[in-house]
Amino acid sequence: MAAELARGQNHPLSRNRIEIRISADVPVVAGATLADDGGRVRDADRVAHPGAPTLPGIEVSRQAAAEHRLAVDLDALPEAVHRVSVLIALPAAPGGPVRFGAVAPPRAAVTGLDGTEVAGYTLAGLDAESAVVALELYRRQGAWKIRAVGQGYADGLTALLADQGLPQAAELACGIEEAVARGVARAVPVRTDTGRSRRTAGSVAGPDPSGTATGSPYDVQAPGDGSDQPIPSGGPGAPGGPEPEPVPVPGDGRSPVSDGPAAAAAAVGAAAAAADDAATSVGGPIDYTHPKRRQASPSRAPAAPAPVDGPVPPVAGDAVGWSMDERLYNQVWGMFEDLARSTAAYRSAVDFAESRMEKELDQVLADPRSRLGSTGDAARETARARQAQLIDQAQAALDRDLAQLTAESEVVEPALPPAYARWDNPVWHAYRVPTEPPMAVRLGDLHLVESDPLRIPMLVRLPLERGLWIDSGPTATPDDAFPDAGELRHLALRTAVTLAARLLAVHPAGEFGVQVIDPAGSGASALAPLTGAGVLARPPATGAAGVADVLGRLTERVDLVQMAVRGGAADALPPGLDTSRQLLVVNEFPHGFDDRAVTQLRYLADEGPDVGVHLLLVADREDAAAYGPLLDPLWRSLMRLTPVPDDHLADPWVGHAWMYEPCLVPAGSQVLKQVLNLVAIAYTKRM
C-alpha cells in the first residue's frame, strides 16, 4: 500500500523506472537537480527545468502547469549522481500568487509507470516560500530511497539553487523564468479559425521515442463498497502532461479500474501544442488524436499529415517504447484512452442535445401565444429536429472513431505476444517457454455499451503490485440473469486457474510458482489443468492443517526476504529458500481459516507483493461477513475481477462504467493443456 510521508521521513524504492507526480491548485514550475554524493549540484547541466527538460534518466515539463509528471529512470542516471531533488516553484506570472502560503498545499507522489502510488507527500506548512524542494531520491549502499524534504525558500529558485551549491544560481533561475514565459506564450496561441475537427490516424506531431514515458493501459483498482471500481490507470505518460482528476478508490474492494491513469508526455505535449499552433495559424483543424499514438519517424521529425482521401492505415506497434512488447502495450493504452474520450464526447453531445431541446420546449410553453395551435406544434417539431440533428452528428463522429479503433484492433490483436493475447490467438499454438518475464499481462477485456463489439485488452503491469480477487458472489449478467451459485463458484475458480496458468506460461521456467489452498477440496475439477500438468509446487492444501502449513511457509518467506533486503544482506538467505515469485490461489475463503490464518493472509496481501508473493483470492464477500470491518483493508487491497461480464470498473478520466469480461479458454480447446505441458517439461529440465 502507498505510504503517506511526513516531512523528513524516508521510504524504500523497489523499482527503477518511476513517475513523480506533482499536483497543485495553481500552475507551478517543476524541475529536478542531480547532485553528487556530497549533495552538490556541480553545474547547470545537472538541472532539469523547462528550458532544458531532458537529462539522462529524467525528463520534466516544458511549462508551468497545475499537474506534472516527471519521468525518472534511475538506471539511466550518471554514476556520479547520488541524489535527485524534485523542486517546485511559483512562476513569476502577473497576478499570480507569490508565496505557497496563499494557495492550497501542493502534493508530490512517486508512482510506478502504471500509476500505482508508492509514496506521497503533501507539502503542508509553507508560508512565504516561493520555491521548495519537495522530494529527494537518494542512493545509499546501492539502493534508492525516497525522502520527504519540504525545504522552502522565500527568495525563490535563486536561493534554492544556490543552497545546492550551484555557482550560476541567479543566471539559471532567470533562464528558467524565461523558458516558462516562452512556454506560456506557446500554450496560448492566437487562433485564426473557430472550427475544431478531429483528425484520424495521420498526425502532425510524433511522440518522443525515448521510451522513458511508459505506463499502464488502465490503472485497475478494485473497490469494495459496491461502487464502480477504477480501471488500471497510470498509463504510459511522461512528465508534463496535464493529468485528470484521479478517481477515488472506494473503501471495500469494489472500486473502479484506476490504480492510477495517464497523461501525455511532456515532450509529446509540447510537440502537440506546437503542431496545434501551426495548424490554427493557417486555419487548419486542431489535432485531437491521442498524443502518444501520433506517428513519428525514427529521427523524431513530425510525421506527414494524413492523406486527404482517408486515414493512415493502422500499424501494430505504432507507439513509443524500447521493444515491440512495450510499443504494443502503449498502443493498447492509447486505444483505451481514445475510446474513453470519444465515448465521453458522444455522451456529452447527447446530453447537450436533450437539454437544449428541453430548454426550447420550456420557452414554447412559457409563451401563451405559442403554447397551443399550429405555432406551438411547429416550434416543438423544430426543437425535436434540432435534437435529432445534433445526436446524428455526434453518432457520426463516434462511428468514425469506432471504425478507426476497430481497424486498429484488428491489426493489433493478431500481433500481441502470449502475455497480452486471448487464448484463441494463434500465437499460443507457437508457444515456447520464455527466457524473460513480460512487462504486462492480460487480465481480460474491456468495452463500453456504445463500442460493442470492440474489445480493448485489459493489460496490467508485472510484477503484480496488488493481489487479485475473483468475486464468486452473486453477479448479474448483461441480460440481468443471475447464474446458479454453485455454477458461479466453479466459474470463478476456473477464471483463477486460467489467470494462474497464464502467469506461469509467460514467466521463465522456475521463476514463477503457483501454490493452491482448497480447504474443502471442492475445486478439484476446476484445478485439474494445473494438477494434471504437474505445474504446481505442491498438491493443493486441504483442511485447516494444510491452510496453516502453506500460510506459515509463505509468511516465513516474506519475513526472511524483507529482513535480507532491509539489511542489505540478500546473500544471507537460507540456501534452500525458494526465491522465485509465488502466486497463492485461495479457494472459498474464509472456509478453513481461523483467526491466525486470516491475519497471515492479510499480512501476505499487504507485504507479499514487494518481495514476490502474490495473492489470488476466490471468494464471496458475504461468506466473510462475520468478520465485519476487520477484513475491509483486505478487500480494498485487492483488485476485484468477476467470472462473468460485469461493469464494475471505471476509467480515471471520465468515470465510464466499463464492462469487464474475463479471458477464458474457448470450449473444447486444448491450448491450455498444451501450454501447461510445455511449462512442466521446461520446469523438469531446469530441475
Side-chain angles (χ1 to χ4, degrees):
M1 298 178 66
E4 187 63 29
L5 304 180
R7 183 174 180 178
Q9 186 178 359
N10 59 30
H11 187 76
L13 190 57
S14 60
R15 64 195 74 193
N16 291 331
R17 297 182 69 186
I18 58 173
E19 287 182 353
I20 299 174
R21 305 188 179 192
I22 307 295
S23 57
D25 280 359
V26 296
V28 296
V29 179
T33 60
L34 309 183
D36 56 23
D37 54 358
R40 180 181 177 84
V41 180
R42 294 188 297 186
D43 53 49
D45 292 339
R46 292 297 177 92
V47 182
H49 58 84
T54 304
L55 294 179
I58 191 164
E59 188 172 0
V60 305
S61 175
R62 287 172 165 79
Q63 59 190 34
E67 304 282 345
H68 290 272
R69 288 191 178 184
L70 286 65
V72 180
D73 185 349
L74 298 174
D75 288 336
L77 292 172
E79 284 294 329
V81 173
H82 288 259
R83 185 178 302 174
V84 179
S85 298
V86 179
L87 59 92
I88 309 173
L90 292 169
V98 296
R99 59 188 186 90
F100 278 110
V103 298
R107 189 173 191 275
V110 177
T111 74
L113 297 182
D114 60 355
T116 304
E117 185 170 312
V118 177
Y121 171 44
T122 301
L123 285 80
L126 298 177
D127 187 10
E129 299 89 343
S130 60
V132 60
V133 177
L135 294 174
E136 181 180 81
L137 309 178
Y138 63 98
R139 178 160 35 192
R140 178 163 297 172
Q141 297 178 345
W144 286 91
K145 293 186 176 183
I146 313 159
R147 177 183 289 122
V149 180
Q151 177 63 52
Y153 298 84
D155 293 331
L157 281 173
T158 300
L160 186 155
L161 296 172
D163 191 41
Q164 297 202 7
L166 187 66
Q168 317 93 336
E171 293 85 346
L172 182 56
C174 182
I176 293 174
E177 291 293 350
E178 291 176 357
V180 171
R182 289 195 301 270
V184 172
R186 286 196 304 269
V188 191
V190 178
R191 303 191 180 278
T192 60
D193 70 324
T194 56
R196 293 187 177 184
S197 64
R198 178 187 172 104
R199 291 185 185 174
T200 51
S203 164
V204 296
D208 183 353
S210 64
T212 57
T214 58
S216 161
Y218 4 61
D219 234 350
V220 186
Q221 297 177 344
D225 57 358
S227 61
D228 285 350
Q229 156 177 332
I231 298 176
S233 79
E243 175 184 326
E245 183 76 10
V247 177
V249 180
D252 69 350
R254 295 178 184 265
S255 64
V257 195
S258 153
D259 264 5
V268 176
D276 187 48
D277 297 353
T280 54
S281 64
V282 296
I286 301 171
D287 187 358
Y288 288 103
T289 306
H290 188 287
K292 293 196 74 60
R293 298 170 61 224
R294 294 172 179 158
Q295 296 177 341
S297 66
S299 62
R300 299 180 62 177
V308 295
D309 57 347
V312 174
V315 178
D318 186 16
V320 298
W322 293 103
S323 64
M324 176 57 78
D325 285 4
E326 187 172 2
R327 293 197 295 272
L328 287 168
Y329 173 83
N330 289 338
Q331 186 171 13
V332 169
W333 165 256
M335 294 167 61
F336 174 76
E337 184 173 348
D338 271 0
L339 180 57
R341 299 191 187 282
S342 295
T343 306
Y346 168 76
R347 293 179 179 179
S348 178
V350 171
D351 290 343
F352 171 76
E354 293 177 350
S355 64
R356 175 173 173 173
M357 181 187 69
E358 292 174 358
K359 181 179 179 181
E360 291 176 348
L361 291 177
D362 288 343
Q363 291 175 347
V364 171
L365 294 174
D367 187 351
R369 295 170 298 178
S370 60
R371 188 177 303 164
L372 302 174
S374 59
T375 303
D377 292 340
R380 294 185 185 91
E381 287 301 321
T382 301
R384 294 190 181 98
R386 288 198 189 102
Q387 179 208 24
Q389 181 184 15
L390 289 174
I391 292 177
D392 289 344
Q393 291 174 350
Q395 185 66 57
L398 178 64
D399 290 344
R400 182 191 64 230
D401 291 343
L402 290 179
Q404 178 186 339
L405 288 169
T406 300
E408 189 169 8
S409 177
E410 291 172 352
V411 171
V412 170
E413 279 285 358
L416 294 176
Y420 304 172
R422 286 195 292 255
W423 287 104
D424 58 0
N425 192 312
V427 72
W428 285 107
H429 296 290
Y431 168 78
R432 294 293 181 271
V433 177
T435 57
E436 58 183 25
M439 67 179 295
V441 68
R442 186 173 190 156
L443 296 185
D445 293 328
L446 299 167
H447 74 277
L448 296 168
V449 174
E450 294 87 349
S451 69
D452 199 46
L454 174 64
R455 299 294 191 269
I456 304 294
M458 178 178 167
L459 305 182
V460 174
R461 293 296 295 262
L462 292 178
L464 294 172
E465 296 186 354
R466 58 189 306 189
L468 304 176
W469 164 32
I470 311 297
D471 189 353
S472 60
T475 303
T477 58
D479 57 2
D480 292 330
F482 285 86
D484 174 76
E487 177 187 352
L488 195 59
R489 290 176 184 269
H490 177 76
L491 186 58
L493 184 55
R494 273 188 56 207
T495 303
V497 168
T498 306
L499 284 174
R502 179 183 291 268
L503 288 166
L504 271 172
V506 301
H507 282 83
E511 292 189 13
F512 193 92
V514 175
Q515 301 189 43
V516 177
I517 291 178
D518 185 21
S522 60
S525 61
L527 292 168
L530 298 176
T531 56
V535 294
L536 294 180
R538 291 176 176 81
T542 58
V547 172
D549 177 59
V550 173
L551 292 178
R553 282 187 285 101
L554 290 178
T555 301
E556 181 183 20
R557 179 193 184 280
V558 171
D559 288 339
L560 290 173
V561 175
Q562 278 188 339
M563 287 188 292
V565 171
R566 291 171 181 171
D571 55 349
L573 288 170
L577 184 68
D578 183 5
T579 57
S580 64
R581 292 193 172 273
Q582 298 291 318
L583 177 71
L584 175 60
V585 180
V586 179
N587 186 36
E588 292 193 344
F589 174 80
H591 181 78
F593 281 69
D594 56 20
D595 291 345
R596 176 181 173 80
V598 169
T599 301
Q600 289 177 317
L601 190 73
R602 288 183 54 189
Y603 175 73
L604 293 178
D606 291 340
E607 303 295 334
D610 287 339
V611 291
V613 176
H614 309 281
L615 184 62
L616 177 52
L617 194 67
V618 181
D620 178 359
R621 191 172 181 185
E622 291 302 317
D623 292 345
Y627 287 94
L630 177 67
L631 290 182
D632 283 353
L634 174 65
W635 304 117
R636 285 197 299 267
S637 70
L638 303 175
M639 180 191 303
R640 176 179 175 256
L641 303 174
T642 54
V644 295
D646 186 65
D647 60 351
H648 64 285
L649 303 178
D651 66 75
W653 304 287
V654 289
H656 291 319
W658 289 79
M659 181 68 71
Y660 165 80
E661 295 179 1
C663 271
L664 299 176
V665 179
S669 174
Q670 296 297 310
V671 65
L672 184 60
K673 180 179 179 181
Q674 295 167 3
V675 167
L676 289 178
N677 285 339
L678 291 174
V679 172
I681 292 171
Y683 182 80
T684 303
K685 289 180 178 179
R686 184 178 180 274
M687 298 295 291

